[in-house]
């Protein structure tokens, strides 16, 4: 909401500027993309590119991105951001070749034929069947072990397991929770677990009665037996959630507890508030298996049965995945909805700001000013010890306002053939297959849940697409495969000023893209710039939503008025 | 009436009383072993459906978490077959939501029979009305109605049903309606064909010549005589309807949870086909038996009622 008002102001200013400055195309919120990408041919001398916002009133985090010299990029921020390196390492902000980006027009070929710097390059994407990658022999780092990498997909966990047992694939994602024991008992297979760096929650939208009543939401918070759900329907390694933040991620409040399960009191409150008897609602979910919700249908039915015990009659509604997410974001779900979130990078901002900050979607209805204030304080401090109290406060406020009921941190994993050396499952779902040795074979076949929608991951949010992008594309920084710590990527070193508002990245020398182009600072400026500036001619993408950019960096420059 | 006098005078000549079409058919039906088996299964199913609350050991929608010492998807435990007596007895095991599968399957029988009979009943009523009107009136009405039926027949029935449910919204009633609508053309076509041939019979011409109103000819003479093929098709149609409803529920479009429906029971546990096969096996067997019963009975009825075969 907040953000939309600001973008309206920006567009008003734009309009005024246009009126005042007559017919000449005024570059209002200041985009200077000079020189044009085509002119920056490798033959000529390096002409640094830069983009800047006139001021920070547009509401986003970025003030300027500039190429200082051929291998140095400087980001100037409007506010300090301690999580900046973690965000920059995320695969939505992978670096594209500026010439290729321009040639594809920011969409089209870019989505089908990504051109990155990564350890694998795309050979062929057979839509509906498989994606074939081959080792990048010119990779700047340690070259990939498997010569060929194949991605396949199947939505059915039983089929994935059968293929693994039959030996037609080397690794599968998300085996069914009930298959964990089978895999562990099979000497030809191995199981790799992920820590539950995710959250499964029941969301409620406070713009629909009776969920506009805080006491009612609190009553529902007491009405769900979370322990029972985790004990019965979650695989080993899962835990009951006491708050929105998973325990292993910064921003978790040690010692905080959720409301104790008390159906009698929940019922009493609902009766006092006039909701019961006779309250009917819906439980909406998407029938998609994710690490945080391995058994969607069964969990939905158990919640339905639990609500029936306190006298609430709930109808189960299953929606198509994309439609469900859209409806949730637009704030159209008037009952209870089952959704979750997995970590993209290990910081509170990825969880709390994205869902409860001022820039959050309408998923839970109107935001809460006191939560916004706490999150804002926490996000602008650099010392973790100083930040933590603000997140403790935010978590406590979330418990008080109950925009959602935290249920579980779902343990999940991947399974591999026993002869795959170096097999692991990344906590954030970013497995790097270049590190795995598939026995004596030179091809590694990976079977995941679904097909990527596109391979230009600036405009993708689905983990199935991000994982594929991560084999081909690289960001300025990277997450270490095991720990998830931020390490050097395309930038070999990086530094910030003491206020954490200016970040300078030094690129590796001699890195080449799969099409042979050499990486330079202008590639970085343009890769970020096309996402940042919503009016940029290359701001196209697959559907143009570029969700992660405003989610992590506050907002687009020149965002269209809503 | 004068006819009764005529019959009375003929009676002594015949050794036995003339059997009606239905009596003959019934006798011929009972002579067929396959039809008998079909009827026996069907009778058992009807009994199970009617007595479900008595026969069931548990509430079909109640989760047994915290009620008994059981875990989800536990295989069947029958004390008679050597399951330890300290474990609670579950004939068909437990499902993913820790509910008694045996009780769910019993209650599922109610639903499946209901879906089959109601949707086919609906289709027969609407279909035969349309078919009879079309056949009797002929002309542009016939062209229009049969053109419509041809369009509907051009779609694969399940796809058309999915389309209708998508528009109306998922749920049991809408499933009934969708399957009913999809089955209409078959009955309309059969009815029209019967009416067309019966219309030419002498007794209809006789009726018309003495000025019997159209409505009475249609409902009094033509419809009862056109019923035979409808009964056969209807019985076979119930089997198809039950399968279609199960398919819709499998896809999550039919009966909504926690309603015990065989198709949705299979659909929900489809990924457990290897880890908990009983959850697929028992609802699957129940479906097979039901469909088999209606198919056997329908086949028997067709043979029994087939006039040409008898001649």
């Amino acid at each position: 909401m907040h953000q939309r008002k600001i973008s309206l102001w920006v567009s008003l200013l734009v309009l005024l500027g246009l009126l005042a400055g007559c017919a000449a195309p005024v570059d209002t919120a200041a985009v200077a993309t000079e020189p044009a990408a085509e002119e920056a041919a490798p033959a000529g001398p390096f002409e640094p590119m830069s983009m800047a916002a006139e001021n920070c009133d547009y509401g986003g985090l970025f003030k300027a991105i500039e190429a200082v010299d051929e291998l140095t990029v400087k980001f100037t921020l409007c506010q300090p951001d301690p999580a900046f390196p973690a965000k920059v390492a995320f695969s939505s902000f992978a670096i594209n070749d500026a010439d290729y980006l321009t040639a594809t027009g920011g969409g089209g070929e870019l989505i089908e034929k990504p051109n990155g710097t990564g350890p694998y390059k795309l050979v062929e994407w057979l839509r509906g069947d498989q994606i074939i990658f081959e080792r990048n022999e010119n990779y700047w780092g340690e070259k990939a072990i498997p010569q060929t990498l194949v991605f396949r997909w199947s939505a059915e966990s039983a089929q994935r397991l059968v293929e693994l047992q039959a030996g037609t694939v080397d690794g599968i994602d998300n085996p069914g929770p009930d298959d964990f024991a089978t895999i562990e008992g099979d000497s030809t297979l191995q199981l790799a677990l992920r820590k539950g760096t995710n959250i499964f929650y029941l969301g409620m939208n406070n713009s629909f009665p009776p969920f506009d009543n805080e006491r009612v939401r609190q009553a529902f918070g007491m009405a769900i037996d979370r322990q029972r759900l985790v004990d019965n329907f979650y695989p080993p390694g899962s835990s009951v959630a006491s708050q929105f933040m998973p325990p292993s991620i910064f921003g978790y409040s040690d010692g905080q507890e959720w409301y104790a399960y008390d159906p009698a009191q929940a019922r009493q409150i609902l009766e006092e508030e006039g909701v019961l008897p006779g309250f009917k609602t819906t439980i909406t979910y998407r029938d998609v298996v994710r690490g945080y919700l391995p058994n969607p249908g069964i969990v939905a039915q158990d919640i339905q049965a639990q609500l029936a015990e306190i006298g609430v009659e709930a109808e189960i509604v299953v929606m198509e995945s994309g439609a469900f997410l859209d409806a949730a974001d637009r704030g159209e779900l008037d009952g209870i909805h089952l959704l979750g979130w997995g970590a993209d990078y290990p910081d509170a901002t990825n969880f709390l700001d994205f869902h409860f900050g001022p820039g959050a979607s309408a998923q839970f209805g109107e935001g809460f000013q006191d939560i916004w204030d706490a999150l804002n304080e926490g996000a602008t401090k650099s010392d973790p010890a100083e930040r933590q109290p603000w997140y403790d406060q935010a978590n406590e406020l979330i418990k008080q306002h109950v925009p959602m009921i935290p249920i579980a941190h779902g343990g999940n994993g991947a399974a591999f053939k026993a002869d795959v050396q170096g097999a692991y499952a990344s906590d954030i779902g970013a497995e790097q297959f270049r590190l795995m040795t598939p026995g004596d074979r030179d091809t590694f076949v990976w079977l995941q849940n679904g097909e990527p929608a596109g391979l230009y991951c600036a405009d993708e949010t689905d983990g199935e697409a991000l994982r594929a992008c991560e084999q081909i594309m690289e960001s300025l920084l990277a997450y270490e495969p095991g720990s998830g710590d931020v390490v050097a990527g395309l930038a070999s070193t990086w530094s910030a000023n003491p206020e954490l508002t200016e970040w300078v990245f030094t690129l590796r020398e001699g890195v080449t893209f799969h099409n042979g182009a050499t990486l330079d600072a202008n590639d970085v400026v343009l890769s970020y710039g096309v996402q940042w500036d919503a009016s940029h001619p290359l701001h196209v993408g697959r559907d143009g939503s570029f969700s992660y950019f405003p989610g992590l960096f506050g907002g687009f420059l020149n965002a269209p008025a809503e | 009436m004068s006819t009764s006098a005529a019959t009375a005078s003929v009676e002594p000549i015949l050794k036995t009383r003339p059997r009606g079409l239905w009596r003959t058919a019934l006798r011929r039906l009972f002579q067929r072993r396959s039809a008998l088996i079909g009827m026996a299964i069907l009778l058992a199913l009807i009994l199970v459906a009617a007595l479900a609350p008595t026969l069931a050991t548990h509430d079909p929608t109640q989760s047994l978490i915290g009620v008994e010492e059981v875990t989800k998807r536990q295989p069947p435990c029958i004390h008679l077959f050597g399951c330890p007596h300290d474990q609670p007895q579950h004939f068909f095991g437990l499902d993913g939501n820790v509910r008694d599968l045996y009780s769910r399957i019993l209650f599922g029988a109610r639903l499946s029979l209901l879906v089959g009979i109601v949707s086919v009943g609906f289709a027969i009523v609407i279909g035969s009305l349309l078919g009879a009107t079309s056949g009797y009136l002929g002309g542009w009405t016939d062209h229009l109605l049969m053109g419509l039926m041809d369009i509907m027949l051009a779609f694969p029935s399940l796809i058309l049903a999915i389309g209708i449910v998508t528009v109306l919204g998922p749920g049991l009633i809408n499933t009934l309606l969708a399957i009913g609508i999809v089955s209409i053309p078959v009955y309309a076509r059969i009815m029209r064909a019967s009416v067309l041939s019966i219309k030419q019979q002498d007794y209809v011409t006789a009726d018309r010549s003495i000025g019997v109103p159209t409505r009475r000819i249609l409902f009094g003479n033509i419809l009862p005589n056109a019923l035979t093929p409808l009964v056969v098709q209807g019985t076979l149609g119930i089997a198809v309807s039950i399968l279609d409803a199960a398919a819709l529920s499998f896809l999550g479009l039919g009966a909504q949870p926690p309603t015990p429906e065989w198709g949705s029971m299979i659909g929900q546990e489809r990924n457990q086909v290897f880890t908990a096969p009983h959850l697929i096996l028992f609802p699957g067997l129940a479906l097979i038996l039901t469909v088999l019963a209606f198919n056997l009975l329908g086949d028997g009825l067709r043979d029994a009622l087939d006039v040409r075969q008898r001649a």
Side-chain angles (χ1 to χ4, degrees), chain A residues 470-514:
Chain A
E470 282 148 9
Q471 315 303 322
I472 313 170
M473 312 292 298
E474 288 176 302
S475 303
L476 283 176
L477 302 178
Y479 305 112
E480 202 177 44
S483 63
D485 294 341
V486 174
V487 292
L490 289 179
S492 51
T493 58
W494 69 100
S495 61
N497 65 350
E499 291 80 42
L500 301 181
T501 52
E502 286 179 22
W503 295 80
V504 177
F505 295 85
T506 310
L507 304 182
R508 284 178 204 279
E509 225 180 317
V511 174
T512 53
F513 287 94
H514 298 156

Side-chain angles (χ1 to χ4, degrees), chain B:
Chain B
M1 277 211 256
S2 59
T3 40
S4 66
T7 325
S9 68
V10 173
E11 208 165 23
I13 301 169
L14 290 170
K15 293 270 185 338
T16 51
R17 265 188 56 188
R19 285 195 209 92
L21 167 71
W22 292 104
R23 275 186 58 124
T24 322
L26 216 57
R27 199 172 55 89
R28 293 164 59 89
L29 191 63
F30 277 109
Q31 284 166 353
R32 276 161 216 280
R33 192 169 298 150
S34 62
L36 270 180
I37 295 173
M39 274 193 284
I41 301 175
L42 192 59
L43 196 70
L45 272 171
I46 293 172
L47 277 177
V48 161
L51 300 176
T54 334
L55 292 173
T57 50
H58 296 77
D59 179 344
T61 55
Q62 195 210 356
S63 168
L64 298 174
I65 300 172
V67 181
E68 287 177 3
E69 279 290 305
V70 286
T71 55
K72 68 173 171 178
R73 304 200 177 110
Q74 209 162 288
C77 170
I78 305 170
H79 292 160
L80 203 63
F81 295 154
C83 179
H85 278 265
D86 51 351
Q87 276 182 30
Q89 180 160 263
H90 293 285
F91 298 131
F92 293 170
L94 295 159
D95 76 352
N97 278 84
V98 203
R99 296 175 296 210
D100 183 62
L101 192 64
Y102 166 72
S103 309
R104 286 179 70 73
I105 286 181
L106 292 190
F107 277 90
R110 288 184 153 190
L111 215 64
S112 284
L113 289 180
L114 182 89
V115 168
I117 292 166
V118 171
S119 60
V120 167
F122 170 83
I124 286 185
V125 170
I126 307 279
S128 52
L129 277 179
L130 288 178
T133 320
S134 181
Y136 192 78
L137 294 180
W140 67 267
T141 326
D142 187 28
H143 281 295
L144 185 78
L145 287 174
M146 285 305 120
L148 205 67
M149 295 299 118
D150 283 344
I151 292 174
M152 285 175 74
L153 276 174
F155 290 95
S157 68
L158 194 58
I159 301 218
L160 188 56
I162 290 175
I164 295 172
V165 172
T166 312
V167 173
L168 296 177
L172 191 61
I173 302 292
N174 291 343
T175 307
L176 282 176
L177 211 60
I179 295 173
I181 292 173
V182 167
S183 336
I184 287 176
V186 179
Y187 302 105
R189 280 227 156 254
I190 291 175
M191 193 52 158
R192 176 175 173 273
S194 304
V195 169
L196 278 182
S197 69
I198 295 167
K199 204 164 77 165
Q200 312 300 331
Q201 302 283 327
D202 289 344
Y203 60 87
V204 177
T205 320
D207 263 358
R208 211 180 289 155
S209 67
I210 57 169
V212 177
T214 309
R215 194 151 38 101
R216 250 185 71 191
I217 299 179
L218 197 57
F219 288 98
N221 283 328
I222 297 182
L223 280 188
N225 285 302
L227 269 183
T228 326
L230 275 189
V231 169
V232 174
Q233 183 60 40
T235 316
L236 294 169
I238 292 177
V240 178
S241 294
I242 290 176
L243 270 187
D244 278 359
L248 284 178
S249 296
F250 179 91
L251 297 172
L253 297 169
Q256 294 300 298
T259 318
E261 207 278 345
W262 296 337
S264 71
M265 286 156 83
I266 298 174
Q268 272 165 29
E269 303 292 350
R270 63 184 187 277
N271 267 317
Q272 271 61 50
V273 65
F274 298 115
T275 47
H278 62 282
L279 295 178
I280 309 290
L281 178 72
F282 290 114
L285 272 181
L287 261 176
I288 291 173
L289 276 180
T290 314
V291 171
L292 183 70
F294 279 106
N295 277 341
L296 289 178
L297 183 63
D299 271 348
L301 273 175
R302 182 176 49 202
D303 295 346
L305 289 169
D306 195 329
V307 184
R308 266 159 305 179
Q309 223 176 49
R310 192 164 36 161

Side-chain angles (χ1 to χ4, degrees), chain A residues 156-158 162 178-179 182 228 232-233 287 295 298 301-302 304 316, chain B residues 63 65 72-73 96-97 99 256-258 268-272 274-275:
Chain A
E156 306 293 337
S157 66
V162 168
D178 298 306
D179 297 330
T182 316
R228 156 171 158 168
N232 286 289
F233 308 117
D287 199 7
N295 275 316
I298 283 176
Q301 287 195 45
D302 200 63
Q304 181 186 41
I316 290 179
Chain B
S63 168
I65 300 172
K72 68 173 171 178
R73 304 200 177 110
N97 278 84
R99 296 175 296 210
Q256 294 300 298
Q268 272 165 29
E269 303 292 350
R270 63 184 187 277
N271 267 317
Q272 271 61 50
F274 298 115
T275 47

